[in-house]
Amino acid sequence: VKREEFKTCEQSAFCKQHRAISEPTGYELLANTISHQGAVWTATLQNSQNSLKLNIIGLTDSTVRVQIDEPETAIRKRYIPNPSLVAVPEELTFDSVDNGAQEAKIVGGGNKVKVVVTYKPFLVSIFNGLDELVAQVNRDGKLKVEEFRTKEEGKEYPEGFWEERFKSFTDHKQHGSSSVGVDISFVNFKTAYGLPEHADAFALRNTVGNTDPYRLYNLDVFEYELNNPMALYVSIPYILAHRANRSVGALWFNAAETWVDTQSSVTSKGLFGKMLDKVTGASDNVPHFDAHFMSESGLVDIFFFVGPTVKDVQRQNAKLTGTTPLPPLFSIGYHQCRWNYNDEQDVAAVNKGFDDHDMPMDVIWLDIEHTDGKKYFTWDKHKFPTPNDMVDKVAAKGRKMVTIVDPHIKKDDGYYVYKDAKDKGLFVKRTDGSDFEGHCWPGASEYLDFWHPDTRSYWKDQFSFERYTGSSSNLHIWNDMNEPSVFSGPEITMDKESIHYGGIEHREVHNMYGMMYTSATFDGLMARTGGKERPFILSRAGFIGTQRTAAIWTGDNTADWGHLEIAAPMTLSLSIAGVPFVGADVGGFFGNPDEQLLSRWYQTGAFQPFFRAHAHIDTRRREPWLFSEQTQNIIRDALRTRYALLPYWYTLFQQHTETGVPPMRPLFYEFENDDTLLEEQKQWMVGNGILVRSVVEKDTFNVQVKLPRGDHRTERWYEWVSGAEVKGESIYVDAPITFTPVYQRGGTIIPTWQRIRRSASLMRDDPLTLFVALNSDGSSKGEVYLDDGQTHDYQNGQFVKASFNYKTESKSAAVLEGEHIDGKYDCKNWIERVVVRGVESSPKKVEITRLSDPVQPLEFSYDRDSKVLVIRKPEALLNSSFKIHIGF
Amino acid sequence: EDVTQRQLKPVKGVPHSRLNLYQPSTTDTFRCLDGSQTILYSQLNDDYCDCKDGSDEPGTAACGNAHFYCSNVGHRGNFIPTNRVNDKLCDCCDGSDEYDSGVDCPNICDELGRAARIEREKIANVARKGFQKRQELAKEGQTLRDSKLKDVEPLRQERATLEPERSRLETDKKSAEDAERKLQDEHRNQWEAELDLDKSGKIDKEELRQNLFLDEDNDGFVSEDEVNAYLTIDEADPEHFQSLMYDRLKTAKRNHLEDARIKEEEEKERARALENAPDDDDLLAEEDRHDSEDVTSNQESDDDNDKMPEYPPEVQVASEKAREARRLFDEVNQKTQDLDSRIREAEDFANSDYGEDSAWAALKDKCFDRNVQQYTYQFCPFGQNTQKDTGAYSGTSLGSFKEWSGPDGNKYSKMHFGDGQQCWNGPKRSTDITIECGEENELVEVTEPAKCEYLFTFRTPLACSDPDKEVIHDEF
């Protein structure tokens, strides 16, 4: 990476100034300005510099908003990134408000959250529903708001106030510096997570006194390096603090460039004064995780989600910022991409290659070279003369294609998109009113302004099948370079002084650009089928709310072991911050992976939500069949393992839409009370039932695996492939190149498809095999969700949800009950096999009752060594109920 | 009519030839073909996988490792992986793989069969013609090879015959040259001895001064400067004298003598002229001429500076002998070198792999072009491949012949060329050539699947085998 291309905190005037705050800024709340109505409590804050307006807003589901803005008299309105929320946050009237002489106590509706506002010095303390102090705002007195002002001649301003230089670029600040910042402290928490996207550890580090603060400013960083707080393509200013059984989340609601200084420390109780009276534990030393947020503009606007459990916090975040809609089934299969597949013959050959080598695959991708001179929505006539036919041929195997559509528009009057947008005035502007022009793949380019109301509707229309010739419902979209990437710009992005519709400066909304772009593309894909088919979009840049319209990948990584290893912490960070459909380029984008690295990457990618291989144009071809037979077998195996688990992944994505919980989870999501798991980033959970510790180290064929045993040491674990139970809490596992350490948790029932076909949609109606892993009570449960995998008919009940429950009733009897719990989809899926793991002895008989049918005996086989019972052909339809009785 | 055939139960997905393996036992059971299990016969093709080897489900998608046979009457029967059974895609031309997926597959076997037959005939035709050409080319190649190999022996013999003479002449040359050098050295040493007046073994400035030929400015004596031009140190030992002074001194002496001779002639001329008394103009003209003669003669002497200084006659004789010895040697040596290179060429030829029947030798120095958009690609088997702008004179090397790279048993179906021009930020350009049977030699396709790695498809009769000898393989 060329570090000199990107700013350090020292080179960013506002970051430098905020970071240098060493004394409290002295804000006080003026008690006589307090007023409240319903769910909104307001007051004025004041210090020697200026006056501010404080709003405390009570919201549903244990959420409270702390908002600090300039007063109504401000000469300019600050930008609030409302489009990133799923809706206007739902207010909930306070239960009680007690405005005392020195502090105010505000109790949220249902007593789920409480806020104590101390007047002098100004301090906000947040309590959860159990009356525990979980967070504080401005405890260290770093609150700072640079109010908007007009420039006075002859007056001295701090460095960089009206103009800031970086390398050869000058940023003219029309409105001057308008930064905001404040410190947030997560009280009684040692570890915190989030602030994606950084190529760094999952647990947030101490940046104070160590490195630059974590930077959140969407940038196209060429050949990014690992283990540093440099900004990358996605910015989600969200922190999750967690300790045993307790979590709290804070969303810094600001779309401008943001730096976050973090530090985990332990301080004597005294610091917290009587706020900490209710903190449990006799210890005099209280840990706290501090985060000093500094933004270039916007408001101090923080949503606190007080949990109290980690899944509660996730849900509270999802309520506000949304969830990823149920993806089409093909998109959670395997994607094959390259910069570039050269022509229609190349695409056909790749399509055939997977079939010839009996490897499942769902999507073939086309990068920028498929276009006519990097003009998106067009095709290179020589290489792609008949795109509809090409896509049809791929779709004939149940597959799809994806083409890239970037937000930079080639400045060419012969290019209809450019001409239209120019005529309609849809481009981002310079301060002098002319269109902003930058250099990107096509050469001179201009950038669409998605804050202009007409841009969204124009963009939407471009995806109709008539407009985008060569496209069809089997063609989906990749939005790349949407930071936005501007090769000729400062830090390879758009000048901050650029102007959006309504006079909004780019600096005020930069981090939202990518999200606004995919949101408009999503509208386009929905409209082209009249809302019938589910869209699929992959995006590189993202912000709060990105998950509602796109999947995210970790950008241009490198084919080396460090990058393989960093995929898990990066995707975990995005997952807990509300973006669940995430992954990294399998094989690494830059460079050529050797067979060992490639094998391990496929094994890893198979267990991360977005599973795609991609490679840079200068690399050697790396379709799976170009490698040795052993590697081909390993890749085939990894692909089949993924495809077998599609019903499980699909169910997890559906559950996510209801609960907000991501399919890929840190271990502490499932073992909330285990504080030895707080920094785990080599292992992760897929749902509540599968634990993965893929091998990400070179030349390593033996790894250590932690199998959490739970609060009462009752958790049981089974090897995923053999089904044999595994004992021990920290074990060493043999992992030859053909093997990935994966475990099923006792107490879970995981649905799979054991018949692996050429693509996911071909498997849709196939029978299921259930893997039942018994817990220490001899019981187990699970769920499956299925539908047609591509339309929105599920919104009208066209889906099937079934639940499974295994109970050991006595030494001689066990029952597996399957229940159709929801949906009226006429599904063809039936249960062809039940595998029960952890069965102590061989059954004497197995019978099934289905609805009103008579009892039918079932054949079974039992393996004494692995303690696995296989029940043959229950033949129970998924949308009907059944009971399997096992007699011992 | 085979009675046993008539009694065989048909089993979905199993070809006729293997039905006997799928018949029920007397107890109505079926034994997995790998012997691992025995199941009820009703469990054969019952859409549940019982056998580890998948043998109990040839007709359904239940086992991941089984194969379904499409009879495809009218075309060609073939096996497909059973994961294609009932996946809603029509894989068998007779549609037999989709019997329970709700999809009705049309039977297009007759069509396909017809088309396949036509295609097969077309290919066979081309192959036949091509094969014939190949036979001819093989003869050509064989002839070429044979002639090269045949020629080698006599060449080797001739070379062998010449060797003793060459050797002898080389020795002669050496001794003649040695003799020459010896005499030259002696002469030099002799002169040095003459100049070394005090016989100190070294020449010093005083001694040099005694030699009037060093008087360049003709002022009658040799000055300090005039000596310093030839001797920069105080005294010169024999080595210094021979290597740094001898030649220049010799030249200076010669020039001096020459100048003296010229002066003498001028005097004679003037005397003659005075007798004849021509006008001043003529005199002037004469003088001019003499001046120019002087210039040229001086030039000649200057030129002579580059040559060896004159030696006495006996040394010159030795030089003459050496020159002659060299001439005789060079003559023969040239012949042997020539032979060596022709032998090498023939050996290369013999060692190159031109196919089992040397047929590829016919293409040894031939090249084939193909234009793709603005480029012309050239394929030279056994040579170098290039890419150039169409019309341009030179281009970029895409690699030179390295080896035949086809799979075992079919080595000559692919060629690999490597070590072409280095690609910026990438590998050295290389080309893989796929070779197909065709009536004519033709470069039919050029692609670049990955940066700087090229793929050519070359059609040639050399890749055609005798179609009438082709064995029809069972598709499996």
Side-chain angles (χ1 to χ4, degrees):
Chain A
V1 70
K2 291 206 188 81
R3 277 170 203 256
E4 64 277 11
E5 301 264 300
F6 306 101
K7 283 188 188 175
T8 59
C9 185
E10 272 293 298
Q11 295 168 308
S12 165
F14 80 89
C15 184
K16 186 173 175 183
Q17 279 154 32
H18 281 253
R19 209 181 197 200
I21 297 171
S22 52
E23 304 233 321
T25 55
Y27 277 95
E28 294 174 14
L29 189 147
L30 305 178
N32 59 342
T33 61
I34 294 173
S35 86
H36 97 266
Q37 171 109 33
V40 185
W41 185 96
T42 69
T44 301
L45 306 175
Q46 195 175 77
N47 76 349
S48 57
Q49 298 284 83
N50 54 32
S51 288
L52 305 170
K53 177 135 169 280
L54 167 71
N55 287 326
I56 310 268
I57 304 160
L59 302 171
T60 53
D61 202 357
S62 311
T63 305
V64 67
R65 183 177 192 174
V66 176
Q67 191 184 70
I68 300 172
D69 195 357
E70 288 192 53
E72 274 100 33
T73 51
I75 65 170
R76 186 163 194 273
K77 197 143 168 35
R78 288 172 179 262
Y79 184 81
I80 304 177
N82 288 319
S84 66
L85 299 182
V86 72
V88 173
E90 203 185 330
E91 291 179 5
L92 182 62
T93 307
F94 297 128
D95 267 5
S96 69
V97 174
D98 175 18
N99 298 320
Q102 275 147 353
E103 66 186 27
K105 280 203 194 59
I106 306 164
V107 179
N111 200 5
K112 293 294 176 89
V113 57
K114 189 172 85 181
V115 180
V116 172
V117 186
T118 312
Y119 306 160
K120 186 175 165 156
F122 166 61
L123 168 68
V124 176
S125 303
I126 315 268
F127 296 78
N128 64 14
L130 302 156
D131 230 5
E132 297 165 336
L133 174 65
V134 289
Q136 291 188 306
V137 182
N138 201 40
R139 184 204 60 222
D140 294 338
K142 299 198 187 210
L143 173 62
K144 177 178 157 98
V145 172
E146 289 185 295
E147 74 281 8
F148 280 115
R149 68 207 75 181
T150 43
K151 190 170 186 181
E152 287 172 48
E153 286 312 313
K155 180 160 178 186
E156 253 203 61
Y157 290 93
E159 191 195 334
F161 196 91
W162 294 99
E163 194 179 278
E164 209 178 319
R165 260 193 216 103
F166 178 66
K167 294 180 88 209
S168 62
F169 303 96
T170 305
D171 175 17
H172 305 96
K173 305 184 192 183
Q174 246 188 75
H175 307 285
S177 188
S178 57
S179 68
V180 302
V182 77
D183 54 291
I184 302 176
S185 181
F186 299 92
V187 181
N188 215 4
F189 291 94
K190 277 197 202 109
T191 53
Y193 313 84
L195 297 180
E197 184 183 51
H198 296 96
D200 207 345
F202 177 42
L204 296 172
R205 298 185 193 283
N206 291 352
T207 62
V208 174
N210 241 341
T211 62
D212 261 6
Y214 284 99
R215 190 180 187 201
L216 295 167
Y217 188 58
N218 295 347
L219 293 174
D220 178 4
V221 181
F222 181 76
E223 290 180 339
Y224 68 84
E225 288 171 3
L226 309 177
N227 304 315
N228 65 68
M230 284 173 77
L232 284 178
Y233 319 88
V234 174
S235 295
I236 304 187
Y238 172 76
I239 292 186
L240 168 74
H242 176 79
R243 65 163 194 274
N245 282 320
R246 210 57 93 232
S247 308
V248 61
L251 181 67
W252 177 262
F253 196 49
N254 189 310
E257 179 180 354
T258 301
W259 299 74
V260 189
D261 240 338
T262 52
Q263 185 171 50
S264 180
S265 18
V266 177
T267 310
S268 86
K269 230 177 178 175
L271 174 73
F272 299 91
K274 58 194 185 71
M275 291 300 160
L276 219 44
D277 281 349
K278 310 253 177 67
V279 171
T280 51
S283 168
D284 231 352
N285 289 320
V286 182
H288 52 101
F289 190 92
D290 300 338
H292 179 194
F293 281 80
M294 311 165 237
S295 292
E296 183 166 11
S297 191
L299 280 65
V300 169
D301 197 351
I302 315 158
F303 290 90
F304 284 96
F305 312 115
V306 298
T309 70
V310 74
K311 287 180 183 170
D312 287 332
V313 172
Q314 188 84 56
R315 182 193 65 248
Q316 288 149 13
N317 183 344
K319 255 223 175 81
L320 202 66
T321 66
T323 54
T324 293
L326 185 64
L329 184 63
F330 75 81
S331 65
I332 55 173
Y334 170 65
H335 301 252
Q336 181 68 27
C337 183
R338 178 182 178 76
W339 176 20
N340 218 90
Y341 283 122
N342 298 315
D343 49 34
E344 294 184 2
Q345 291 85 338
D346 204 357
V347 170
V350 170
N351 195 31
K352 182 167 187 292
F354 279 91
D355 290 342
D356 289 348
H357 296 87
D358 208 15
M359 294 176 181
M361 177 270 292
D362 263 85
V363 193
I364 300 179
W365 292 55
L366 293 176
D367 205 325
I368 55 178
E369 309 300 328
H370 83 275
T371 60
D372 171 22
K374 320 308 195 275
K375 293 182 287 219
Y376 308 107
F377 300 107
T378 71
W379 303 83
D380 178 307
K381 280 189 280 293
H382 298 286
K383 305 183 200 165
F384 296 94
T386 56
N388 277 114
D389 280 348
M390 169 185 67
V391 178
D392 284 347
K393 286 205 191 77
V394 169
K397 296 288 154 67
R399 297 177 175 135
K400 310 280 184 241
M401 288 193 71
V402 165
T403 50
I404 193 167
V405 176
D406 288 351
H408 49 262
I409 307 299
K410 180 172 186 169
K411 190 177 175 197
D412 177 351
D413 277 325
Y415 176 33
Y416 69 94
V417 178
Y418 173 73
K419 185 90 179 30
D420 291 344
K422 184 175 83 167
D423 292 344
K424 294 183 207 281
L426 305 182
F427 290 123
V428 178
K429 306 252 183 281
R430 289 205 188 93
T431 48
D432 63 7
S434 63
D435 288 337
F436 171 83
E437 188 183 311
H439 192 82
C440 208
W441 296 125
S445 309
E446 304 195 351
Y447 293 76
L448 293 163
D449 178 7
F450 291 95
W451 279 258
H452 191 306
D454 297 341
T455 308
R456 290 187 70 93
S457 54
Y458 174 76
W459 193 245
K460 182 166 86 170
D461 292 341
Q462 299 324 300
F463 289 91
S464 72
F465 300 129
E466 295 78 42
R467 206 80 167 116
Y468 183 5
T469 51
S471 75
S472 63
S473 61
N474 290 316
L475 184 76
H476 291 260
I477 300 295
W478 178 13
N479 284 162
D480 194 5
M481 311 290 277
N482 51 344
E483 293 72 31
S485 177
V486 180
F487 296 158
S488 49
E491 302 193 271
I492 322 294
T493 192
M494 186 178 279
D495 296 66
K496 284 173 167 179
E497 61 188 60
S498 307
I499 303 292
H500 290 264
Y501 185 81
I504 299 168
E505 282 194 304
H506 185 68
R507 80 182 76 249
E508 300 180 275
V509 299
H510 173 87
N511 283 343
M512 280 172 89
Y513 190 87
M515 180 274 287
M516 296 288 275
Y517 181 52
T518 60
S519 174
T521 302
F522 186 89
D523 285 351
L525 294 188
M526 283 289 261
R528 70 183 188 171
T529 61
K532 184 163 161 66
E533 308 253 322
R534 296 176 222 169
F536 172 72
I537 299 168
L538 180 72
S539 174
R540 193 169 72 180
F543 184 60
I544 300 168
T546 272
Q547 68 269 20
R548 302 200 301 273
T549 57
I552 293 275
W553 99 102
T554 60
D556 300 343
N557 61 357
T558 301
D560 71 32
W561 292 91
H563 278 265
L564 168 59
E565 191 177 321
I566 210 87
M570 288 179 82
T571 46
L572 282 171
S573 175
L574 285 159
S575 292
I576 60 102
V579 185
F581 201 178
V582 289
D585 282 344
V586 170
F589 178 68
F590 289 114
N592 295 305
D594 63 25
E595 299 203 24
Q596 193 190 136
L597 178 61
L598 191 67
S599 300
R600 291 307 195 190
W601 217 315
Y602 269 93
Q603 292 170 342
T604 300
F607 286 95
Q608 290 171 349
F610 177 63
F611 186 22
R612 181 187 76 152
H614 185 35
H616 185 270
I617 196 170
D618 286 344
T619 61
R620 316 200 60 222
R621 294 286 292 241
R622 55 166 104 134
E623 287 70 41
W625 49 89
L626 298 176
F627 299 95
S628 70
E629 203 177 316
Q630 180 188 59
T631 298
Q632 287 184 43
N633 291 338
I634 290 168
I635 292 175
R636 185 182 300 107
D637 217 48
L639 295 173
R640 286 187 172 165
T641 302
R642 169 55 167 241
Y643 275 71
L645 282 169
L646 284 179
Y648 184 56
W649 280 101
Y650 199 59
T651 304
L652 291 173
F653 268 102
Q654 192 281 327
Q655 286 171 350
H656 162 77
T657 65
E658 289 173 3
T659 64
V661 181
M664 182 179 177
R665 313 166 183 181
L667 256 56
F668 66 73
Y669 256 52
E670 294 301 317
F671 303 96
E672 292 180 62
N673 206 17
D674 189 338
D675 58 10
T676 65
L677 303 175
L678 294 178
E679 300 196 27
E680 182 54 57
Q681 59 179 39
K682 281 196 178 162
Q683 298 181 200
W684 66 92
M685 301 289 296
V686 176
N688 71 336
I690 290 192
L691 182 149
V692 183
R693 196 314 193 184
S694 63
V695 178
V696 297
E697 301 92 342
K698 184 175 169 160
D699 295 338
T700 302
F701 306 103
N702 188 284
V703 293
Q704 185 182 31
V705 179
K706 257 187 239 156
L707 296 174
R709 294 292 166 181
D711 290 352
H712 307 288
R713 308 234 122 348
T714 50
E715 294 281 352
R716 293 173 78 178
W717 292 96
Y718 302 85
E719 231 218 33
W720 178 242
V721 175
S722 71
E725 184 167 4
V726 185
K727 305 276 194 183
E729 200 157 346
S730 184
I731 57 175
Y732 281 90
V733 176
D734 275 328
I737 192 65
T738 49
F739 182 77
T740 316
V742 177
Y743 303 90
Q744 181 181 6
R745 185 180 182 183
T748 62
I749 299 182
I750 293 179
T752 67
W753 279 318
Q754 291 301 316
R755 305 179 183 203
I756 311 301
R757 299 192 189 266
R758 288 169 282 192
S759 59
S761 57
L762 302 181
M763 294 165 65
R764 199 192 61 189
D765 296 335
D766 278 340
L768 296 168
T769 296
L770 302 179
F771 286 88
V772 179
L774 300 186
N775 65 11
S776 37
D777 290 334
S779 62
S780 193
K781 59 181 204 263
E783 232 182 61
V784 71
Y785 171 95
L786 286 176
D787 59 24
D788 69 15
Q790 56 184 56
T791 71
H792 286 107
D793 292 350
Y794 67 86
Q795 289 167 349
N796 295 323
Q798 289 304 318
F799 65 88
V800 61
K801 225 190 238 185
S803 77
F804 308 105
N805 227 296
Y806 184 104
K807 256 198 291 272
T808 300
E809 294 176 331
S810 70
K811 258 213 165 80
S812 57
V815 177
L816 171 64
E817 207 174 317
E819 220 189 301
H820 174 207
I821 52 179
D822 204 358
K824 47 190 174 164
Y825 182 58
D826 182 23
C827 77
K828 305 215 171 27
N829 312 81
W830 48 282
I831 301 187
E832 70 166 332
R833 191 184 288 108
V834 176
V835 178
V836 190
R837 297 166 156 177
V839 179
E840 276 310 311
S841 59
S842 177
K844 295 219 171 51
K845 71 166 186 234
V846 177
E847 293 170 335
I848 186 170
T849 45
R850 306 180 199 85
L851 291 176
S852 51
D853 295 344
V855 171
Q856 188 204 325
L858 296 176
E859 276 186 48
F860 59 89
S861 64
Y862 176 73
D863 183 274
R864 203 167 301 278
D865 295 319
S866 59
K867 298 209 158 85
V868 172
L869 165 69
V870 178
I871 302 174
R872 185 188 190 282
K873 228 178 163 194
E875 253 180 310
L877 265 177
L878 206 56
N879 57 4
S880 63
S881 308
F882 66 88
K883 266 204 186 103
I884 296 177
H885 301 270
I886 305 168
F888 292 92
Chain B
E1 265 223 329
D2 193 350
V3 170
T4 47
Q5 286 269 14
R6 229 195 293 139
Q7 284 172 346
L8 283 176
K9 261 178 137 83
V11 175
K12 223 189 202 72
V14 178
H16 224 87
S17 55
R18 292 170 62 85
L19 273 181
N20 55 311
L21 300 167
Y22 291 83
Q23 299 305 302
S25 70
T26 46
T27 48
D28 224 24
T29 60
F30 171 77
R31 191 153 177 269
C32 302
L33 297 184
D34 66 357
S36 61
Q37 243 196 96
T38 302
I39 59 177
L40 296 174
Y41 193 75
S42 56
Q43 291 174 337
L44 173 65
N45 270 346
D46 75 332
D47 207 14
Y48 182 86
C49 192
D50 290 292
C51 301
K52 252 199 228 50
D53 65 348
S55 55
D56 68 310
E57 298 294 316
T60 76
C63 293
N65 51 353
H67 291 84
F68 176 94
Y69 184 73
C70 314
S71 329
N72 290 343
V73 176
H75 183 40
R76 253 189 177 176
N78 68 303
F79 282 91
I80 57 171
T82 54
N83 66 43
R84 298 183 189 183
V85 173
N86 288 325
D87 66 351
K88 301 195 191 68
L89 302 185
C90 302
D91 292 288
C92 306
C93 65
D94 63 4
S96 56
D97 61 308
E98 298 301 310
Y99 58 84
D100 192 23
S101 61
V103 166
D104 222 354
C105 293
N107 187 328
I108 54 172
C109 294
D110 279 340
E111 266 175 61
L112 287 186
R114 214 175 306 129
R117 263 189 302 280
I118 293 171
E119 180 70 20
R120 262 200 306 275
E121 271 169 43
K122 205 168 70 172
I123 292 174
N125 259 332
V126 168
R128 215 167 281 122
K129 291 203 190 106
F131 185 68
Q132 206 172 19
K133 275 222 178 88
R134 184 186 208 291
Q135 304 293 71
E136 290 160 24
L137 287 170
K139 281 206 195 83
E140 248 183 72
Q142 192 67 255
T143 313
L144 192 58
R145 185 168 195 272
D146 286 346
S147 78
K148 295 254 175 189
L149 287 178
K150 197 170 56 132
D151 291 346
V152 160
E153 249 331 286
L155 289 178
R156 283 216 181 95
Q157 282 179 13
E158 195 185 337
R159 176 76 178 77
T161 347
L162 284 176
E163 183 54 30
E165 191 185 344
R166 192 196 78 92
S167 238
R168 181 179 57 82
L169 287 174
E170 191 171 26
T171 317
D172 285 351
K173 176 179 88 116
K174 190 164 186 309
S175 55
E177 283 176 339
D178 283 347
E180 182 194 12
R181 201 170 309 116
K182 185 155 163 280
L183 285 175
Q184 284 175 344
D185 284 346
E186 267 177 34
H187 179 74
R188 285 171 186 250
N189 291 338
Q190 191 185 30
W191 197 39
E192 189 195 348
E194 279 174 22
L195 294 174
D196 182 12
L197 295 170
D198 63 7
K199 306 295 170 225
S200 62
K202 296 207 171 101
I203 311 281
D204 58 45
K205 289 194 180 163
E206 256 319 299
E207 285 164 342
L208 259 191
R209 262 226 170 102
Q210 308 312 311
N211 300 285
L212 267 172
F213 66 81
L214 295 177
D215 177 18
E216 304 244 311
D217 58 8
N218 287 318
D219 60 359
F221 77 112
V222 180
S223 67
E224 178 103 30
D225 286 338
E226 283 164 337
V227 168
N228 285 341
Y230 291 89
L231 180 57
T232 50
I233 55 179
D234 285 337
E235 52 183 28
D237 62 21
E239 198 193 316
H240 184 101
F241 179 77
Q242 293 291 355
S243 60
L244 297 175
M245 293 168 62
Y246 180 85
D247 292 341
R248 292 165 60 227
L249 286 172
K250 214 42 190 193
T251 307
K253 184 170 183 184
R254 185 162 30 96
N255 290 345
H256 182 84
L257 289 171
E258 189 62 19
D259 286 350
R261 184 184 64 78
I262 287 169
K263 263 213 173 76
E264 226 185 283
E265 274 194 36
E266 278 177 352
E267 284 301 317
K268 282 195 192 133
E269 271 297 313
R270 267 186 240 281
R272 245 185 284 127
L274 278 170
E275 279 171 27
N276 300 336
D279 25 294
D280 290 331
D281 288 315
D282 288 337
L283 269 175
L284 277 169
E286 287 271 23
E287 279 184 34
D288 284 336
R289 203 175 348 110
H290 281 159
D291 284 344
S292 64
E293 274 176 14
D294 285 346
V295 169
T296 47
S297 68
N298 276 342
Q299 272 184 343
E300 280 167 20
S301 342
D302 284 342
D303 288 341
D304 283 345
N305 281 347
D306 299 336
K307 290 199 220 139
M308 283 289 292
E310 269 182 26
Y311 287 101
E314 66 272 18
V315 183
Q316 287 185 19
V317 163
S319 295
E320 190 48 49
K321 280 210 181 114
R323 252 197 298 278
E324 182 62 16
R326 261 198 296 279
R327 188 185 66 79
L328 290 172
F329 169 72
D330 283 345
E331 242 179 68
V332 177
N333 194 41
Q334 187 61 43
K335 276 204 195 116
T336 57
Q337 279 186 347
D338 194 44
L339 284 171
D340 280 342
S341 96
R342 282 163 67 193
I343 291 168
R344 234 193 333 269
E345 200 207 323
E347 278 176 351
D348 277 349
F349 206 92
N351 293 334
S352 289
D353 189 353
Y354 293 112
E356 280 133 10
D357 52 2
S358 303
W360 281 89
L363 294 190
K364 182 172 186 311
D365 291 313
K366 299 213 166 72
C367 291
F368 306 92
D369 285 2
R370 181 174 183 77
N371 290 340
V372 178
Q373 287 176 39
Q374 75 267 42
Y375 295 119
T376 298
Y377 291 89
Q378 187 173 78
F379 167 51
C380 302
F382 314 112
Q384 203 184 76
N385 293 340
T386 52
Q387 170 202 72
K388 61 182 164 92
D389 291 341
T390 305
Y393 180 65
S394 67
T396 311
S397 166
L398 303 185
S400 46
F401 177 73
K402 293 287 165 193
E403 59 188 350
W404 292 98
S405 52
D408 283 341
N410 201 5
K411 183 162 77 145
Y412 302 101
S413 62
K414 276 191 160 66
M415 272 182 170
H416 180 72
F417 279 52
D419 284 331
Q421 188 161 316
Q422 181 82 46
C423 206
W424 183 76
N425 220 28
K428 285 203 175 126
R429 288 172 172 82
S430 64
T431 319
D432 281 294
I433 298 103
T434 303
I435 299 160
E436 293 174 356
C437 168
E439 261 189 83
E440 301 293 336
N441 290 317
E442 199 188 344
L443 178 60
V444 294
E445 195 181 20
V446 173
T447 57
E448 189 183 353
K451 201 165 223 178
C452 299
E453 292 179 7
Y454 296 83
L455 206 59
F456 287 359
T457 303
F458 181 64
R459 280 210 197 119
T460 173
L462 294 170
C464 300
S465 23
D466 191 348
D468 301 319
K469 286 217 191 91
E470 278 255 301
V471 182
I472 317 280
H473 293 284
D474 216 33
E475 282 262 10
F476 193 87

